[in-house]
Structure formats: C-alpha cells, structure tokens
Amino acid sequence: MASNLTKFIHSLDPRTLPRVLQIQSGIYFQGSVYEMFGNECCLPTGELIKVTGFKVNKIIASICESNEDDQCSARIELPLNFPGLCKIVADKTPYLSIEEITRKVSIGPTRLGHPCFYCNEDIKLANLTIKQGEQIMFNSVEEVNGTLTVNCGVVRDNQSHSFILPFSQEGEFYECEDDHIYTLKEIVEWKIPKSRNRIVKFTNLLHTWDSSNPLPENFDGCLILAPIYEVQGVMKFRRDIVHILSDLDIEVIDVTDGYDISSFLQPLSMEDVFERTSKEFPMVAEVIEGPTGRQQPYNLLCPGKEIVIHKKYQAKRILASEIRSDSHKRHFLIPASYKGKFKRRPREFLTAYDLEIARSDKEQLHVVATKAFDSPHAELFSVSVGDQFLVQQCQTGEVIYQGRKKVIDVLACEQILSEAYKKVLLPMYMEGGFVEVIHDKRQYQLSELCKEFRLPFNVKVSVRDLSIEEDVLAAMPGLQLEEEITDSYLLISSAGDPADSWEIPVYRLNMSVQLLSKPVDETVSSPTRTIVEEISEEQYYMVRRFENQALHPPPRPPKKPTTLESKPLLTVPERSVSDALHAVKNLYVDTTKKPCSDQATAVSELQVSCQNDLVHWENEDDVTGTATLLDTSVIKGPINNMLLTYGTEKELEEKHTYEYVDENVIENIRKKFQESTVHHKTYPLKKKREETSKME
C-alpha cells in the first residue's frame, strides 16, 4: 500500500534496513532527477531507491500559546544544536499495547532511553500487581523463552521492583509527566515518538537573543516539534549516493520482498570497511562519496577514484587543544610521527591538591602564587600574591580545632625567600592560584614529552615540522597536550601508486566506497604518511568521552574543615598588583640551594619567561567555575595565563561567551531546576505551618 515518504520514514524501523522503495506519484518531471543543496528534490515514477539509512536533518517547530495542537500559529525551523533546555509536555493520546509502545518510543540502556508510563487499570502479574496510575519505567527490550518482553520497574516505599511485560499486554497506557529537562538534540534522538508529534516548553534559553534567533523575544509558550529526516540511499542506475528530504511530496511503496538488494550499488562507509575481517584486506575500492577538505589525502579522494585499502589497525594520537582564554579553541590529534619540536609553557593550578597531582620525582615543581589565602589555623601558612614555593610532598599535619588536635592532609612546601628557604604547610583544600615557573629551556620531541612528563602538559612549537607543507601547530601561541588516545585507522593508497600510503580515520571521515573485484599487491614499501588532524568541538568531546569510558576519575580534593565556614579563605591583598608583578620579576629562583652567585642569570631567565607569559589572572568567580569543569575532566576554558595585569585596583569583569554546553553543565542546571521546583511546591505548606505555630 502506497504512503507518502514522511509517514513511511516515521514508521520505519532502522533495524530492518536496507529497504527498497518504488516511487508511485509526486510532483516532478518524468524521467528527470533534480538536485538542490545536495538533496534530491524530484524523482520519476517507477524509480527504485534502496534506502540505506536516515537521520534527522532539521526540526520544524510550530509555535502554540497552550498545550493544544489546534492553537498553533507560526512554523519555524530549528537547528539540532539550538541552545536551549526544554521540558516535555506529556502526550495525552494513549498507547493501546506494550508492543505499540516499543514500536513508537525509543527504549535504550541510558537514562534518556527509560520512558515512563501508567495504565488506567490494574495489571495483575504472577507475583505482583501494578496498580492503576502507578508509574512504570521501561528499561529494556528482551526476549524470554522466545517471547518478546519489556523489562520494567516500579518504585514503592523507596524500593525498586522489577518485572517483565509481554508485547501482547493490552490496555490504555499514558505517558507520565516528566520533570527532567533536555536539550533539543536529546529530545530529537530519544523523546519524539514515531508517527506522533512532541510538545515541549523551553525552561532555559542558554544564549542571548539576537536577530538570528528564530523564536520571538521573551518566548514563553510551547512548541510542537516535527522532525524532517534526510534519507540516504542508492538508485538503480546511478553510481552515487542520493540524499532525499523526508518532506518531499512523493508517494512510495515498499517492494523489498520483490527485488534482489544485491543488484543495487553497495556503498560502504569507513565504519563498514573497518568491520571487515583482517583476512579480507587488502582490497580495491572506488570512491562513491568523497570527504570534504583541502588537506591531503582528503583532496585526493574524489568520487570515481580507485584506491587500495591495505589494512585496518589501532593507532595512538595525542589530543591537544589551543591555549586561549575564550571558548573558540581549536583541537588537534597529533600523530607520534610529528617531527616538530616543543618548548614547555607554564601550567596553572587552581588548588594545592592540583600541585600534588602535578608533582614529579624527576623535577621539583616551582610555582608562584597568583591569589592570596588566609589560613584559618596558626599551624598552616597564609599565602600572599607573589609568594613562590618548591613543592615537596603530601603529608599529614596537626591543627587545633575547637580546642582539640585534629589531623588533616597538608602539602609540604619550601617558600623561597630572598636568601633562604622556609618550610611551610599548605592545606590540601586550599583554593588559590599558582602558576609554574619554567627553568627548562630544552626542546623536546613529542615522544620525549609523553615519556618524561605527565599529561596534561603545556607546550609551544619551537621548530615546525619541515616535512609538512603547512604546519598548523606552529601558528598556535600555545598548546595543551591533554591525553594519549587510541583510535581506529585504515591504511590507504592510490591504485596507481600503492607505495604512497596514508592513514585515514575511520569514525571522523564522511566517505563511502564501492568494493571492486580486482587483484592488488599486498606490499607497502614506503613509510606511512600521517597528518595532524584538526577536529571539531563536537568530535573533541566525543573522542574524550569514548577514551575515558574505562578510566576512573581522580579523587576529589578533601572538603574544607567546618571552621572555614566562619572565616573567609581568600582575601584581596592590600598591596597593588603592580607591586606583586614587580616582586615576581625579582624573585630568587635558585632551586638547588646554591649561593647567590647564579642569581642574576636565574632572574634574567625568569624575567623573559614572565614577560612572555604574563597576560591575565582569573578573578575568584572564574577560578571557581573553572575548577568545577576541571574536576569533571571536561575542560572548556583552561586557564592559560600567568598573572592578571591591572591598571587599577578595581575588579575586572570577565565576559563568558561559551557556545558549547557539556553534559555536566546541563546536569547542574537540571538539579537546580528540580530543586527550585521542589522549593516552590513545599514553600506554601511550610509557611502555613509556621503561621499556625505562631498562633499557638
């Protein structure tokens, strides 16, 4: 039975792909195919298309003043990365069976894939009765003794009870109210049922209003979301991949059972090629859809070109980010074969605990304080801006707390004075600021840095890689080498020159090929050529998330003692910052405790280092916010400067223009939103009780 393309895609199960569709009717010119903005817009009657995949391309949102569909007015287009958080309005239309829920609602292993429903009547099971209106969480779809079921759960008296419901279970199931908030992308991926619209209400718009924002200013209404899909497929007599928008005005019919799917073009993505067994390599392939980019070898992989895919393997890369104070940082994956040389750059530390983590047995850590700290205990040291320390080790120390001795963790350091050293103890919970003093002027290869120092580490390219036509890293004012990752790669070469081989990434290269039945020489004689790969912001966070799945985060710094609640930790020093800068430029930097004969040379080196690296020093609020991000290991804006240069003593207001919002920030907003909701619900009752108590 024919249906329009929109309805077909909305009801299509991705697990049943590929499917063969035949065009039945539409608005088009007979025998012609027109292309607009990379998408097919007209198709002839009787044309066959093998659908290989589909994804959401954009969202069409209808503005409505209430939660009713019939009161909608304007229609606007929203990008998937629209910067806002929204709540879901529960669907009032019931589902009539468990099987219907599983067909139309996304159920998966993550929190986003655990929808909740309630039934309007009791459900009696063998050892449990689900009461009318009780919230049921759908956790996963499983097959039990040949029967498809849903693993569910209910919570009673803070106790979770698990049970299964078969697909055949009937009843009127309604969607529960959802107090969580989501990004638009999360809703598109998880919360839009097939063949149904989704009503949402924005609770937090993360960006300021401007002319490019499609929503009206101070918008407080609801939106009905309708996804528009981009359908990817191949046609019977074309040797390329077509992209069709699902809102194209055509009717199609599914004829998969009547056609041989293997007779169509068989495009493979890089992921598909990588899933082939190692015995199938090497193989010859024709590029069907090439990647975009001018950098070699991407500019060589044009459609129609034959290539040899020699093998698949895992390779290591160093994940690096540009050091700058704003959010527009560039990110790179640097291969071990990079031939440039690096010089060290100062690191910045937010707490004494960070100093302990960065401490190394090979080299004594030398830092300068960039923030004052007033110690609440006489046994611990109070820090002023410009104080410099040699970090020793972590140990325990005794302090007097409420008249009693208490043992806490402290960081043993040596304060560098003009002609002496003084042993001091800093509390591990100390929230201050320190910047590293670099005495090492040596130039390092990338492999040497990774071997001798612990990442993350700050560097600058001092000698560019001469084997690269344009070394993008050499133009960076500074780089933070964040971590070593392992990623999947394919070794390819041109069919005409198999010896000239390149590494290409599997999961970040949008490229499709068609395998050819041609013999190929298995030998690769020349060295493999690699590139410094620049990755996008989204790819950067995906790489870090996948790399850190099996790693445990470092322990959090110890909490502050309760005595600190009544006494401020950070105080603004009375002396001007210009005095502090003058003091830093005249520091005694002999870390080997030699006499002062080498002082002039050391001071000269430090002055050069300071003059190159003194830019600004974050204010207190900014340091606190950055510390939170550092603790979650998702570094959005690492501090990369040494000290703040003030013309006067008034405070500097920092403008934040973060465009990317990571999952941890979203979770914090969610928690605050839910806490405020609970407060508003309980406050009237609490106030009434207080008034009753006063009357009594």
Side-chain angles (χ1 to χ4, degrees), residues 85-324:
L85 299 176
C86 43
K87 284 189 64 176
I88 292 174
V89 177
D91 191 353
K92 297 179 181 179
T93 305
Y95 295 83
L96 302 182
S97 67
I98 297 297
E99 191 270 338
E100 183 184 3
I101 293 177
T102 58
R103 278 192 296 106
K104 296 184 176 182
V105 179
S106 298
I107 301 175
T110 68
R111 177 187 63 82
L112 297 173
H114 295 164
C116 294
F117 295 84
Y118 68 89
C119 188
N120 64 345
E121 58 185 15
D122 292 350
I123 301 177
K124 296 183 180 180
L125 304 175
N127 55 354
L128 186 67
T129 298
I130 309 303
K131 300 178 182 179
Q132 176 185 356
E134 191 169 16
Q135 180 171 297
I136 306 171
M137 179 179 287
F138 288 53
N139 296 318
S140 62
V141 176
E142 300 176 358
E143 184 174 348
V144 179
N145 298 327
T147 302
L148 290 175
T149 63
V150 179
N151 183 17
C152 305
V154 296
V155 178
R156 295 175 180 173
D157 300 326
N158 297 324
Q159 294 291 328
S160 180
H161 302 272
S162 298
F163 58 94
I164 59 174
L165 291 177
F167 275 26
S168 59
Q169 179 70 47
E170 296 182 347
E172 290 188 4
F173 294 90
Y174 293 87
E175 188 177 42
C176 294
E177 294 288 342
D178 192 343
D179 290 332
H180 293 92
I181 56 178
Y182 303 92
T183 63
L184 188 63
K185 188 175 182 181
E186 288 174 337
I187 288 183
V188 168
E189 293 177 349
W190 292 97
K191 299 299 181 180
I192 297 185
K194 292 181 179 177
S195 304
R196 297 192 182 200
N197 290 329
R198 170 59 74 196
I199 302 178
V200 300
K201 183 177 178 64
F202 278 96
T203 62
N204 185 293
L205 293 173
L206 301 180
H207 283 218
T208 57
W209 295 99
D210 54 33
S211 58
S212 63
N213 196 316
L215 293 178
E217 188 173 358
N218 300 322
F219 175 72
D220 193 32
C222 295
L223 295 177
I224 297 181
L225 306 181
I228 303 298
Y229 293 92
E230 180 184 285
V231 183
Q232 177 179 298
V234 293
M235 300 174 67
K236 189 72 173 178
F237 302 107
R238 295 182 58 171
R239 293 190 60 79
D240 59 354
I241 297 175
V242 296
H243 301 274
I244 307 169
L245 293 182
S246 63
D247 59 348
L248 190 65
D249 186 17
I250 60 174
E251 289 190 346
V252 297
I253 186 172
D254 191 337
V255 294
T256 305
D257 297 336
Y259 280 85
D260 181 14
I261 293 183
S262 61
S263 63
F264 285 83
L265 183 72
Q266 303 289 328
L268 299 176
S269 66
M270 294 298 95
E271 293 93 326
D272 297 331
V273 174
F274 192 81
E275 290 176 0
R276 298 285 179 124
T277 62
S278 299
K279 296 180 180 179
E280 298 180 64
F281 293 91
M283 57 182 68
V284 181
E286 178 186 347
V287 178
I288 302 299
E289 191 174 50
T292 57
R294 295 176 299 174
Q295 187 180 21
Q296 289 185 331
Y298 301 153
N299 59 347
L300 304 177
L301 301 175
C302 52
K305 187 177 181 62
E306 291 188 7
I307 62 173
V308 178
I309 306 176
H310 295 276
K311 61 179 179 178
K312 65 174 185 177
Y313 53 90
Q314 301 286 322
K316 292 184 178 181
R317 293 290 189 272
I318 300 299
L319 180 62
S321 295
E322 179 185 9
I323 297 178
R324 56 188 298 173

